[in-house]
Amino acid sequence: MPHSDPAMDDTAIRLGVDALIAAYADCIDEDRLEEWPDFFTEQCRYVIISRTDYAAGLRHGIIYAASQGMLTDRVMALRKANIFEPHHYRHIVGPTRITRADAGVAEVQSNFLAVRIMHDGGTQLFATGRYLDRIDIASRPYRFIERIVVLDSHKIDTLLVIPL
Amino acid sequence: MSELGVHPITWPSNGLSEVPFVLYTDPEQYRLEQERVFKGPTWNYLCLAAEIANPGDFVATTIGEVEVVVTRDASGSINGFVNRCAHRGNLLCFERRGNAKEISCIYHGWTYDLAGHLTGVAFERGVKRQGGMPPEFHKDEHHLARLKVAELAGLVFGTFRADAPDLEDYLGPAVTGGIRRVLNRPVQILGRSTQVLPNNWKLYFENVKDTYHASILHLFLTTFRINRLSQPGGITIDANGGNHFSQAKMDYAAEDADYKEAALRADSAFRLQDSSIVESIDEYGDSVSVQILTVFPAMVLQQIRNTIAVRVIRPRGLEQSELDWIHLGFDDDDDAMTERRLRQGNLVGAAGFISMEDGCVGGFVQRALRYDDAGGGVVMMGGHDAESQPFRATEAAIRGFWKQYRALMGG
């Protein structure tokens, strides 16, 4: 991305992207999951995939959502159907890097670390990886058109029910 | 198996419907299982033939806890051998897959061909006529320990025992047919992941064979009122007991119509917003919507609607195991079919709507048994035998597991 591109210098876009990414993590970690689908556009993609699968061009996701409705269904299933021990995450998201931007879409990368805190207090590093985002910046609030969660490891401890 | 001695675990009877809890907690039992089950006359899944399509391709994997390598050699044959140098026991392949002309040990440079034959010993004749191997050393006495391998429907299996029955005899005709039914054309891998389970490997393998728990522990389908209209099914168990498949049928077209019609009604609070994750087609043309098949001791072949996966349960200590998921499609899938499989993929795996509970329930059992493992579990649903049954409210396949397990373990 050349520095001459005005998008790179657009502080407002940077701030908007950072705010979106921070609010997303806060929504999950503070268990306001009913708001989670609203971070995405109606037509969207949310995929959790391992680094090795992603590098190999494979498409299967540990979670594979292709619409906002599928995200809503995830939350409903978590609340009403699936059985698991209560736990929450704490996301630590690193600095965002805007790799491309035009008037409508920003492509953004960030690193994350998610710690899992079980109901009995047991605290473990649960996942690390990269967010590869395409963000709709043409309208407010900014929303994810696509969020690919690339996990550094292909191993998941026990189960994955709360989104990353 | 009595040459290894009789381990003190005693079963309450010769029956199969009372299972001592100590089987999941005893370290000596775990060690004996590695010898008698995984290194015994059993067939273990190694890889897909498609993963080693070309000469030189190799996959490093495990049978039980034992490190093994599978290769395709220049003649096109598949070879399996232990992943352990004959010199000092060093691990030969530490990458999970790749392509190589030969297998070379990084430690002292011993080399093997792709069939596991020792071909080179560094400084075999010493340096400047000093040192080197004595004349009685012969390379052909130091080949890698070979596995017997066999391929069925694109799946590669291996056994440590030369006297193991042929693979299809081991599986029996029905289970062989169940594999061929699902893997009836060339596969492609859609993705892989591994679920780390906080429990003994047997608890997961029993869970897969347990058709009793499905609609009780996994509430997703009932919560979202995905009515599986008319569900004839049953369980087929091979003569040895350890291999099986369960099947359920449904009327794909009626289900689809029902769900779409119901979604239009006012009671949509517990309906999927996007029902594409269950929109499926009868790709085998036999109305079977679920076929869960196991190959003793550690492999599962799953068809749930249009999700196809191989699962392998790998013991990683008495109270931990790793469940590998290999999600499959077929070479002849068009884009719509691939997308269908990817969406339905949400049903299974570590985050699967109808499978995630299996990741924690074994751990709950393991936790409850820790330091409280007297007595045993009761698996009497559907009787006391390990015979095929035309219904699924049964634990017959679990009893089948124990039938073969006890025959191998000698207890």
Side-chain angles (χ1 to χ4, degrees):
Chain A
M1 185 80 208
H3 278 285
S4 58
D5 189 308
M8 276 295 279
D9 300 321
D10 191 331
T11 309
I13 292 175
R14 286 197 161 278
L15 291 174
V17 164
D18 283 345
L20 171 69
I21 287 172
Y24 174 99
D26 188 65
C27 161
I28 292 172
D29 294 351
E30 296 308 313
D31 195 28
R32 299 191 311 275
L33 293 172
E34 283 70 15
E35 299 169 20
W36 175 63
D38 294 334
F39 286 93
F40 293 82
T41 55
E42 202 163 309
Q43 296 298 311
C44 63
R45 256 164 55 88
Y46 172 79
V47 178
I48 299 180
I49 187 170
S50 72
R51 177 191 182 116
T52 42
D53 276 9
Y54 184 76
L58 300 179
R59 293 178 58 200
H60 175 89
I62 295 163
I63 292 178
Y64 181 94
S67 70
Q68 201 184 44
M70 289 175 78
L71 301 176
T72 305
D73 293 337
R74 273 273 159 198
V75 176
M76 183 70 104
L78 177 160
R79 295 288 193 222
K80 303 290 184 191
N82 289 124
I83 298 169
F84 52 91
E85 283 188 278
H87 61 280
H88 71 271
Y89 300 150
R90 181 63 55 199
H91 280 78
I92 306 296
V93 184
T96 53
R97 191 160 62 91
I98 300 178
T99 54
R100 236 187 98 130
D102 58 31
V105 176
E107 294 182 10
V108 179
Q109 295 186 12
S110 52
N111 296 338
F112 73 90
L113 176 157
V115 177
R116 183 183 61 190
I117 302 92
M118 302 303 293
H119 63 113
D120 66 356
T123 301
Q124 280 181 312
L125 185 56
F126 182 63
T128 66
R130 286 197 300 166
Y131 288 125
L132 306 182
D133 300 326
R134 295 182 68 241
I135 298 170
D136 175 8
I137 57 170
S139 51
R140 303 280 171 153
Y142 286 1
R143 291 180 204 268
F144 295 108
I145 302 164
E146 181 175 270
R147 171 154 262 206
I148 309 294
V149 185
V150 182
L151 298 179
D152 289 324
S153 171
H154 63 281
K155 289 187 184 175
I156 301 281
D157 184 70
T158 308
L159 57 80
L160 191 159
V161 61
I162 302 171
L164 288 165
Chain B
M1 311 300 130
S2 57
E3 73 274 10
L4 290 170
V6 178
H7 186 63
I9 290 181
T10 51
W11 288 66
S13 72
N14 281 327
L16 303 166
S17 48
E18 292 173 89
V19 180
F21 285 135
V22 71
L23 288 165
Y24 311 102
T25 58
D26 183 76
E28 175 65 3
Q29 188 74 4
Y30 180 82
R31 191 188 70 75
L32 289 173
E33 287 166 356
Q34 297 298 317
E35 295 300 322
R36 299 180 186 179
V37 174
F38 291 97
K39 292 168 88 172
T42 58
W43 284 93
N44 288 268
Y45 171 82
L46 294 173
C47 64
L48 300 170
E51 292 177 273
I52 47 169
N54 302 308
D57 286 349
F58 69 86
V59 167
T61 181
T62 54
I63 293 179
E65 294 231 46
V66 180
E67 301 275 350
V68 300
V69 183
V70 196
T71 66
R72 176 86 63 181
D73 66 27
S75 72
S77 297
I78 296 174
N79 304 274
F81 40 81
V82 297
N83 189 1
R84 192 186 77 177
C85 186
H87 176 216
R88 298 299 308 279
N90 185 40
L91 194 68
L92 289 165
C93 297
F94 41 82
E95 290 176 21
R96 297 173 79 204
R97 50 182 58 83
N99 184 280
K101 287 191 168 56
E102 59 185 10
I103 306 291
S104 178
C105 182
I106 57 157
Y107 200 173
H108 301 91
W110 286 31
T111 53
Y112 304 86
D113 67 20
L114 293 167
H117 301 114
L118 180 62
T119 53
V121 170
F123 307 128
E124 185 177 0
R125 290 162 196 273
V127 177
K128 295 182 179 172
R129 297 185 185 176
Q130 291 184 304
M133 286 296 193
E136 66 270 23
F137 173 82
H138 300 293
K139 286 202 287 289
D140 59 9
E141 294 171 1
H142 297 273
H143 301 319
L144 298 175
R146 281 177 67 82
L147 306 175
K148 187 157 109 174
V149 296
E151 183 181 341
L152 173 66
L155 304 175
V156 179
F157 293 84
T159 178
F160 284 97
R161 290 277 287 264
D163 62 346
D166 287 347
L167 176 62
E168 292 189 27
D169 293 335
Y170 176 82
L171 296 171
V175 174
T176 300
I179 292 174
R180 289 192 195 282
R181 172 186 166 272
V182 174
L183 301 178
N184 61 353
R185 54 206 198 275
V187 296
Q188 53 169 293
I189 293 176
L190 295 178
R192 293 187 182 88
S193 65
T194 298
Q195 199 174 353
V196 180
L197 305 181
N199 55 262
N200 186 273
W201 67 277
K202 299 188 295 296
L203 287 168
Y204 183 78
F205 209 60
E206 285 183 283
N207 171 281
V208 175
K209 290 170 175 284
D210 172 1
T211 41
Y212 179 17
H213 83 281
S215 63
I216 301 168
L217 177 64
H218 306 302
L219 296 172
F220 177 80
L221 294 176
T222 43
T223 299
F224 288 96
R225 300 188 213 172
I226 297 162
N227 298 315
R228 292 170 294 172
L229 302 173
S230 73
Q231 290 249 304
I235 292 187
T236 303
I237 301 171
D238 81 311
N240 294 322
N243 309 309
H244 101 295
F245 62 81
S246 62
Q247 283 189 342
K249 294 188 174 186
M250 75 171 189
D251 185 333
Y252 281 83
E255 188 216 49
D256 193 45
D258 172 72
Y259 206 84
K260 284 183 172 148
E261 186 264 328
L264 298 174
R265 291 199 298 262
D267 65 338
S268 58
F270 287 97
R271 292 283 174 174
L272 293 169
Q273 300 294 304
D274 185 337
S275 60
S276 62
I277 66 159
V278 291
E279 282 170 17
S280 35
I281 60 167
D282 186 7
E283 68 177 300
Y284 296 104
D286 56 8
S287 300
V288 173
S289 59
V290 177
Q291 180 184 294
I292 302 294
L293 180 150
T294 59
V295 176
F296 186 94
M299 194 201 92
V300 181
L301 175 62
Q302 159 214 305
Q303 176 230 332
I304 298 175
R305 298 162 182 252
N306 305 118
T307 66
I308 316 293
V310 171
R311 314 177 199 164
V312 188
I313 185 74
R314 303 186 189 280
R316 290 294 178 264
L318 183 61
E319 297 190 342
Q320 185 163 300
S321 31
E322 291 182 358
L323 178 63
D324 282 350
W325 292 84
I326 304 126
H327 301 275
L328 300 176
F330 295 97
D331 280 353
D332 62 4
D333 288 348
D334 59 17
D335 290 346
M337 193 68 206
T338 300
E339 185 67 23
R340 188 176 289 123
R341 296 194 201 282
L342 295 173
R343 291 183 182 211
Q344 290 181 38
N346 285 292
L347 296 171
V348 298
F353 286 131
I354 60 170
S355 71
M356 69 170 75
E357 290 87 1
D358 296 327
C360 62
V361 75
F364 295 159
V365 175
Q366 194 79 47
R367 212 187 292 172
L369 295 180
R370 196 173 290 152
Y371 303 111
D372 189 15
D373 55 9
V378 181
V379 283
M380 294 181 185
M381 285 289 285
H384 297 273
D385 298 327
E387 304 291 333
S388 299
Q389 291 175 327
F391 48 84
R392 294 188 301 147
T394 177
E395 292 168 320
I398 298 177
R399 293 189 290 275
F401 170 79
W402 292 113
K403 180 181 171 187
Q404 189 157 352
Y405 179 93
R406 290 186 70 174
L408 289 165
M409 293 294 291

